[in-house]
Structures are given as structure tokens and as C-alpha cells.
Amino acid sequence: MPLIKSVSGFRGTIGGVPGENLTPLDIIKFTSAYAMLLLEKHSKPSVMVGRDGRISGTMVQGLVIHNLLAMGIDVIDLGLSTTPTVEYNVLKSNASGGIILTASHNQRHWNALKMLNEQGQIISKSFGQRILKIAATGKFKFASVDELGQLTEFKEAMDHHIQGILSLDIVNSIAIKKRKFQVVIDTINSTGSLAFPLLMEALDIQYEIINQKVDGKFKRDPEPLAKNLSQLSQKVIATKADLGIAVDPDVDRLVLIDEKGIPFGEEYTIVACTNYVLSHKKGATVSNLSTTRAVRDITKQYGGEHFTSSVGEFFVVEKMKQVNAVIGGEGSGGVIYPKLHYGRDALNGVALFLSLLAQRKKTVSALKQEYPQYYMCKDKLRMDSKQHIKKALSKIKELYQKWNPDLTDGVKIDFDQSWVHIRESNTEPIVRIYAEAHSQKKADALVHQIQKQIKESFDFLRV
């Protein structure tokens, strides 16, 4: 499996050959290059480091921390943590940056270095390119014995993050406590098992966690899609819970299950949270090009303006800053509320969603029926090479030229009652094909049509 270098970090499978997988040598190169750039900007940099519950986490963490110390950088070790926890704490501290060790929704044999700037945000594309350039040279300068970095632990990071969420004016803790919610949470054998009890107990919520042991031996596919959440759905029904909550291993994506055990839909996480935020504060919203039109529709209902961005947290955040958005996110279950921090945050998403439920005094299933009803088909193709991917996108662009496709990120074709988006993944060597329409049949047909058109020109393997 190739080593992937993108705005989402440097990720790959553990073991294998340097330059082709995420090996210790690759980890050292990328960490050293990142450190050198921080040393250019800060006289005595400090970096926060946290990791999810992956099997390889301890090994990768040791390499990263000791490499930073050897470069003369102070390290604040958060240990087992979540992506939003690291992002929030970097923002609220004097740290020069952060590194999160997580491959997000990828399988357990993957890991990655997700790097942050001093504002706790994903590094820019240009910064990432500079890291790659320095890493390729292999010319690093390590500190002398008297200039080595100092290591400290920060065990209170999750507590600080949860307190930050609860201190938000928009989070209605009083109303949530009055509702006496009962929930089931699938934390996929990772660090959500440590973070969610803090939030649930602070809100007086009765909860049960499944897949709780933090051992990285994921009991389900780590991507929190409906097809992977049957255990959670069954548990919600069996316990008569009000809500099911599922996250990915680093807790930045949030997917919900209603009280009947039916998926709320990962696309509708950001729809519901947008609904709640706009009911309190009017303003612009942002979602990526592959996110449901329902976000746009809800925004218009409140008199706001909706904007789109390329797929990826960095791009959504950049657009949010440009338009001063009050909320943004992605249809994969990512909620970004800038009053807390500019990053996807499942814990904050839960607090916003529970506040909405408490305010509206409805069940989750009843709430879903109030939103514009769209249906989405999501599929993916593995192509032979990047060159073939480019040719495939060019072919689709040519075929749909009369629809004036959006080329911001791949090819997005907007029809009157539907759309289809074809793009190269930021995190995997695949082409993603998403379509949305007012019926599942029409959405499926759009994806199959695009697949057929690509198949006519290229050999491919469906994954």
C-alpha cells in the first residue's frame, strides 16, 4: 500500500519498505522536516503530541516524541487523546504546533502523522509541501546535548476540552440534563472511550459504551457508516435508548442512530448542527462539495448564505475564515464550530445535537423528518495510476461540459434535482464518486452511469 502525502497528513501502512509504507525512517524524516520549519519560526518551539488507540500508536509516539526532543523542541505529551482534543489544546496554549498520530477512519494496520500549526489547525498545503521538500533532502540538523528539548506530560487535556465545550453559550447543559437522555456510544476500541464518559457524566446522561476497550483491535470497520453500525443499532433498540452515537478512532467524525435503530445519516449530522446554530445565530455556512444540499437549504431558510469548498478539513476551514461562517463541516459526520476551535469535533457535535433535541423536545426520528429529504450514493474505484485518474476526470468533464461543471476539486456536476461529484481521495489511492437526488434509485443510477463511462475507457477494480 503506498505512502500517502496530502493535506490530511502523512499516512500509510505500518511496516514494509521506506518510501512505500509508513516506516520508522519515514516517521523520522517527516517529523524532522516539520521540526526544522518550526525552528525557523520560533526560538524555542514546543509541540503537543497525542495519539488514538491504534496498535502501532505507542511505537509511532515514541519515535515522534524522541525525534522532536533530539531536534531541540520541547514536547507536551497528551498520550491517548482525540484529534479535536489536541487541536483545542494547541489553540488554548502557547504551543508552536501539534502532531496527532491517527489514520482516522483507515483500518488498524494504518497510521499517520496529522500536523497542526500554532492555532491548532491542519497545516496548509504549502507548509506540507515544504515538509516534503526538506524530508526528501535528508539534511537535518539535530540539537547538541545542552539544547535538547524537554518532555512534559499533560494528562488534563481531555478535561480542558470538555470544559471548553460546556462553557459555550450555545450548549444548553441545563435543558440537556432535564431531558434525562439515555444513549449508547460505539467508540470503536479507541480514545472516544476515554473522552465520552467525561462529557456524558457532566451532562447527567445515562450511557452505555460498546467496543470500549482501548486496544486498537477494531471490532468493526472504523469508518462510521450505516453498514458498519448494526451492533449499535441493535443495542439502541434493546436498551430503548434515545440515541446511538458512533465515532471513528480519532473522534472527529460523528454519526447518529435514531431511537428506532435507524441511521440518522452521516450527512445529516452537519445538517442538524447547522439547524441548531442558525436558530441562535444567523450567518454564513460552509460545507464541502460532496456534502448534501440540505445544508444549503437549511441555511437559506434562515436567510444565510451557503458556500462550498474542496473536500478536506483544511479547505473547509479556509473557506469558513474567508466568509466568517458561524458553522461548517463535511457530510462524513464532521462538525466545525469556530467558537470552540477550527476543527472537526465529534464531542462538540454531540453537545450541539443534544442541545437541539432538548430545545425541540422531539425524538431523533421526528427531527429527521423535518429536514429536506435527499438520498445519496457513495462509491469508489481503484485506478491503475494517478495518470489514469486524471484521464478519467478529464473524460467526465468533457462528457458533461454543457452543465458547466465545478472543477474546484475533481469534477462536480450540478443538475436541477441532483448532483454528482467525482474526485481523487485525499487519504486513499482511489477515486470517490458521490451522487445525491430526491430518491435512492436516482442517486444510485447517477453513480452507476459515471462508473460505466469511466469503465468504457479504463480498466478498474471496484472496491
Side-chain angles (χ1 to χ4, degrees), residues 210-222:
I210 61 174
N211 300 322
Q212 184 173 13
K213 187 177 181 180
V214 186
D215 58 9
K217 299 177 182 178
F218 305 146
K219 297 293 172 53
R220 62 163 168 83
D221 188 302

Side-chain angles (χ1 to χ4, degrees), residues 91-284:
L91 173 65
K92 296 299 181 181
S93 71
N94 294 318
S96 310
I99 300 180
I100 309 157
L101 312 175
T102 174
S104 190
H105 63 277
N106 291 114
Q107 297 287 347
R108 66 178 191 162
H109 57 291
W110 287 75
N111 213 327
L113 311 181
K114 188 181 291 187
M115 294 169 171
L116 309 176
N117 62 21
E118 67 272 16
Q119 295 175 313
Q121 297 165 23
I122 300 297
I123 58 172
S124 67
K125 183 177 181 179
S126 60
F127 196 96
Q129 288 172 338
R130 291 187 67 195
I131 290 176
L132 287 174
K133 186 175 181 180
I134 294 172
T137 68
K139 295 180 180 179
F140 311 122
K141 183 180 179 181
F142 294 93
S144 67
V145 68
D146 295 321
E147 296 175 334
L148 296 174
Q150 299 296 312
L151 176 63
T152 58
E153 293 184 349
F154 182 31
K155 297 181 179 180
E156 299 80 19
M158 282 189 185
D159 294 287
H160 284 217
H161 180 199
I162 298 302
Q163 287 305 312
I165 293 171
L166 298 175
S167 68
L168 293 170
D169 291 341
I170 201 166
V171 173
N172 195 336
S173 300
I174 295 174
I176 293 172
K177 290 177 180 179
K178 286 182 179 179
R179 278 292 300 269
K180 301 293 183 182
F181 287 114
Q182 180 180 347
V183 305
V184 181
I185 311 166
D186 182 348
T187 54
I188 186 60
N189 308 104
S190 192
T191 49
S193 299
L194 307 177
F196 270 103
L198 300 175
L199 180 64
M200 295 294 102
E201 289 166 15
L203 293 172
D204 292 340
I205 292 173
Q206 183 179 345
Y207 68 96
E208 180 177 350
I209 296 179
I210 61 174
N211 300 322
Q212 184 173 13
K213 187 177 181 180
V214 186
D215 58 9
K217 299 177 182 178
F218 305 146
K219 297 293 172 53
R220 62 163 168 83
D221 188 302
E223 192 162 15
L225 301 177
K227 64 182 181 180
N228 302 325
L229 302 177
S230 58
Q231 182 189 10
L232 177 61
S233 293
Q234 293 166 9
K235 196 69 174 179
V236 167
I237 295 170
T239 60
K240 298 181 180 180
D242 299 296
L243 173 68
I245 295 169
V247 294
D248 57 347
D250 68 325
V251 200
D252 64 352
R253 289 172 58 176
L254 169 65
V255 175
L256 305 167
I257 302 293
D258 74 15
E259 76 285 356
K260 299 176 183 178
I262 299 172
F264 190 70
E266 70 268 19
E267 293 290 326
Y268 281 82
T269 302
I270 184 58
V271 174
C273 290
T274 296
N275 176 200
Y276 179 64
V277 170
L278 290 178
S279 72
H280 289 266
K281 182 178 177 60
K282 306 299 187 291

Side-chain angles (χ1 to χ4, degrees), residues 78 81-90 157-158 161 195 345 347:
L78 276 60
S81 190
T82 75
T83 285
T85 297
V86 180
E87 291 175 338
Y88 175 81
N89 281 283
V90 170
M158 282 189 185
H161 180 199
D345 191 329
L347 293 157

Side-chain angles (χ1 to χ4, degrees), residues 363-382:
T363 62
V364 177
S365 60
L367 181 68
K368 174 69 179 289
Q369 293 306 310
E370 295 185 358
Y371 297 135
Q373 298 300 300
Y374 291 104
Y375 298 85
M376 193 173 286
C377 178
K378 301 180 180 183
D379 213 334
K380 49 192 176 182
L381 302 175
R382 189 180 301 282

Side-chain angles (χ1 to χ4, degrees), residues 317-329:
V317 166
E318 285 301 294
K319 179 60 73 172
M320 288 179 69
K321 290 179 180 178
Q322 290 173 17
V323 302
N324 194 30
V326 295
I327 189 170

